[in-house]
Amino acid sequence: MDYIKEINAFERWCENNYLPISSQLLWYKIMQRFNRNGWREWVSVDNLTLMAAMQMSREATLIKARDELIKAGLMEYQKGKKGTPNRYRMISFFEKNTFKSEVQSVVENVVQTVVESEVQSVVESVDINKHKTKNNKKSSTDVLPEKTDAFSDQLATIRELYNSVCGSYPRLVKMSEARKKAVRARLRAGYTVEDFRRLFEMAEASSFLKGQNNRNWTATFDWLIADANMAKVLDGNYKDKPQSSAYSSAKDAETAAWSKHRDYYGRVKNRFHNCESHGYDYEDILEQMGGIYEAENTEEQPGGDQPYLGRETGADSQTSERGWGADYQKGGPGSGDGTQ
């Protein structure tokens, strides 16, 4: 053993391990004995000698310090026979570390060899699988055709139908992805291209959807292809409602009644006469009355230039207040003498 190296190694060991001061002192005293005896494997020394060197008064304290060194693996102890001192053997730090290093080196070599072998096999298997996967992907890419849209033809047809049928609506310039997605959803739900044709025809025929509403709102392609809106349009919710026959008859009757009591210019007719109910032509009567008035007004009648009104006064007169009006009411115009 190398005395200095062992002391330095012991101090380094104490920095990382706990050892009572009494045990540390005992290690130094026994190590000094080994150095004096030329580093023999076993050294004999009695307890009293060690107690005196360590200035201990109780043997139990020495025994406790010795047990700590044995427990820490720093020495070996053999109890002496009766009449002979006990024997000690110091365990060198270098011999201990050398053995440990040799064992560790052997174990590490074995472990490294085994681990490297296993790791290499795993790496090779991973590389092989990766290569196979890459080749499979490549071959799959070569075999499988490019993915196409199953509804591409139907989308184009629906776009053309809208532009050709819905002339009153804004023209559809581009089928965006959102519009394509909505149309695909309707097609997957069971609607057909013919349903879209009927949708566009009903929308074109709807006055409400074309803006004849209280908001002046007009439907669009996006509004029409929405799920709920498409169903409502196809159900006829926005179809123009025709006027009923009863309503038309009532309007015709109202118009006839209005026209019956109006002249050509829309003025209210004179309701005093009942010529129509008796079969007379009211306009013809007025014309004849105008002619009579002019003829009678040219004759010389009593009263000078005043028009003749058909009234004669005097004692010999048999008639009372008669005129052309009264004569006409009895059947036609008369001369005023009571003859028909």
Side-chain angles (χ1 to χ4, degrees):
M1 289 185 183
D2 191 324
Y3 193 19
I4 301 301
K5 288 183 178 181
E6 292 294 337
I7 292 175
N8 291 333
F10 176 70
E11 290 294 336
R12 287 193 298 271
W13 183 90
C14 290
E15 291 176 0
N16 301 317
N17 299 275
Y18 171 75
L19 191 66
I21 296 298
S22 58
S23 299
Q24 295 182 29
L25 180 58
L26 179 59
W27 184 89
Y28 275 105
K29 294 301 182 181
I30 297 178
M31 182 61 70
Q32 188 268 338
R33 288 275 178 174
F34 271 89
N35 185 45
R36 184 187 301 176
N37 289 278
W39 301 106
R40 294 166 54 185
E41 184 178 2
W42 292 89
V43 173
S44 299
V45 56
D46 59 88
N47 292 344
L48 293 177
T49 303
L50 293 176
M51 290 172 60
M54 297 175 60
Q55 299 180 1
M56 290 182 177
S57 57
R58 297 179 66 249
E59 187 177 11
T61 304
L62 174 65
I63 294 173
K64 185 176 180 180
R66 182 183 65 198
D67 292 340
E68 290 292 335
L69 289 174
I70 296 171
K71 183 179 178 181
L74 299 179
M75 70 166 52
E76 294 180 3
Y77 164 76
Q78 289 181 355
K79 186 177 181 180
K81 296 180 180 181
K82 188 176 181 179
T84 59
N86 300 324
R87 300 177 65 191
Y88 295 91
R89 178 178 179 271
M90 299 298 295
I91 299 176
S92 174
F93 283 98
F94 292 96
E95 292 179 359
K96 181 179 179 181
N97 292 338
T98 301
F99 176 75
K100 182 179 179 180
S101 299
E102 291 177 356
V103 173
Q104 184 176 0
S105 177
V106 173
V107 172
E108 287 180 353
N109 290 334
V110 174
V111 171
Q112 184 175 3
T113 303
V114 174
V115 170
E116 286 181 355
S117 177
E118 293 294 330
V119 170
Q120 184 67 23
S121 61
V122 171
V123 170
E124 290 177 355
S125 62
V126 170
D127 290 340
I128 292 172
N129 293 332
K130 185 177 180 181
H131 184 67
K132 288 182 178 179
T133 304
K134 185 176 181 180
N135 290 337
N136 291 336
K137 288 183 178 180
K138 185 176 180 180
S139 60
S140 299
T141 304
D142 294 338
V143 173
L144 293 177
E146 185 178 356
K147 186 177 180 180
T148 57
D149 190 352
F151 300 102
S152 58
D153 295 338
Q154 293 169 300
L155 291 172
T157 303
I158 290 171
R159 175 184 174 183
E160 294 175 359
L161 279 175
Y162 174 80
N163 288 331
S164 61
V165 175
C166 296
S168 303
Y169 296 88
R171 185 175 179 81
L172 182 61
V173 179
K174 181 180 180 181
M175 285 286 286
S176 63
E177 288 301 323
R179 290 169 176 170
K180 291 179 181 179
K181 183 178 180 180
V183 174
R184 291 192 196 100
R186 303 294 85 78
L187 293 172
R188 291 192 183 98
Y191 289 106
T192 63
V193 175
E194 188 61 31
D195 292 329
F196 278 92
R197 180 194 299 275
R198 192 160 56 91
L199 168 71
F200 299 148
E201 290 176 349
M202 296 181 71
E204 181 64 24
S206 172
S207 300
F208 182 88
L209 295 180
K210 290 190 292 186
Q212 295 183 19
N213 49 70
N214 56 359
R215 296 180 298 162
N216 294 327
W217 169 82
T218 303
T220 61
F221 178 80
D222 296 326
W223 187 91
L224 291 173
I225 63 175
D227 188 18
N229 300 335
M230 185 172 180
K232 289 189 290 185
V233 174
L234 292 176
D235 288 343
N237 293 354
Y238 297 96
K239 188 177 181 180
D240 290 352
K241 296 180 180 179
Q243 295 181 352
S244 62
S245 58
Y247 176 81
S248 300
S249 300
K251 291 295 291 183
D252 293 342
E254 181 182 356
T255 302
W258 184 87
S259 301
K260 183 177 180 181
H261 301 288
R262 301 277 174 169
D263 59 13
Y264 178 79
Y265 301 100
R267 296 173 295 189
V268 180
K269 292 181 180 180
N270 185 5
R271 293 188 179 183
F272 179 76
H273 63 82
N274 56 358
C275 297
E276 288 86 349
S277 61
H278 293 282
Y280 294 106
D281 188 348
Y282 180 72
E283 300 293 339
D284 184 53
I285 292 173
L286 291 178
E287 184 178 356
Q288 292 182 21
M289 290 176 65
I292 295 172
Y293 173 78
E294 292 176 357
E296 292 181 349
N297 194 31
T298 58
E299 297 178 358
E300 294 182 1
Q301 300 292 339
D305 297 334
Q306 297 297 324
Y308 172 68
L309 300 177
R311 179 176 181 178
E312 297 179 358
T313 59
D316 298 334
S317 176
Q318 297 294 324
T319 59
S320 62
E321 294 188 15
R322 296 180 61 190
W324 51 265
D327 295 338
Y328 189 82
Q329 289 180 358
K330 288 189 176 183
S335 60
D337 57 358
T339 61
Q340 298 295 326

